[in-house]
Amino acid sequence: GAKVPEGAGEDSFSVAWELLGGKRGKARPMVVNHSANGSFAVRDGKYKLILTSGSGGRGNPRSRPFQKPYQFYDLEADAGERKNLIDDVGMERKIEKMLKGARKLGIPVPKD
């Protein structure tokens, strides 16, 4: 019930509905994650696109930011991120949409 001043938390999105067991309201916007080595990941609904081929941190396999092949997971079906769907023909449109969304958010994703 706290009042938030206008303009405060402008890069935030409330997850109170999740914490309180309520129903989801509007769709959650794309969420950006940033790792220790400078790698990015974006999550859009149940999908997560990791813009590096490795762990993105100190763990193995190590990689550099934007090193391909990227990783793409359906977190509803694979919360442990074990099955990389990046080469799944049926996911090409979703992956491209997420890449475009990441670029709009200012992530310097190469276009090749």
Side-chain angles (χ1 to χ4, degrees):
K3 300 291 181 197
V4 179
E6 188 67 32
E10 58 194 53
D11 63 345
S12 302
F13 185 79
S14 175
V15 295
W17 61 270
E18 287 185 79
L19 300 173
L20 300 172
K23 292 186 177 179
R24 186 182 300 211
K26 62 182 179 177
R28 179 186 198 127
M30 187 177 279
V31 176
V32 177
N33 298 294
H34 188 267
S35 73
N37 82 344
S39 296
F40 288 90
V42 290
R43 182 168 176 184
D44 189 14
K46 68 178 188 170
Y47 296 108
K48 182 177 178 183
L49 176 63
I50 303 172
L51 299 167
T52 188
S53 62
S55 71
R58 295 178 185 92
N60 289 324
R62 293 186 180 205
S63 64
R64 294 182 313 278
F66 306 110
Q67 182 177 10
K68 289 184 176 181
Y70 297 152
Q71 301 167 65
F72 183 72
Y73 300 99
D74 177 339
L75 298 178
E76 274 184 14
D78 179 21
E81 299 178 7
R82 291 180 180 13
K83 185 177 180 198
N84 187 356
L85 302 173
I86 198 68
D87 292 323
D88 188 323
V89 175
M91 294 292 164
E92 289 173 338
R93 283 189 192 161
K94 183 64 179 171
I95 292 167
E96 187 57 36
K97 179 182 173 196
M98 289 180 73
L99 285 168
K100 285 179 184 177
R103 288 183 191 108
K104 284 182 183 177
L105 292 170
I107 299 172
V109 181
K111 293 193 178 193
D112 63 326

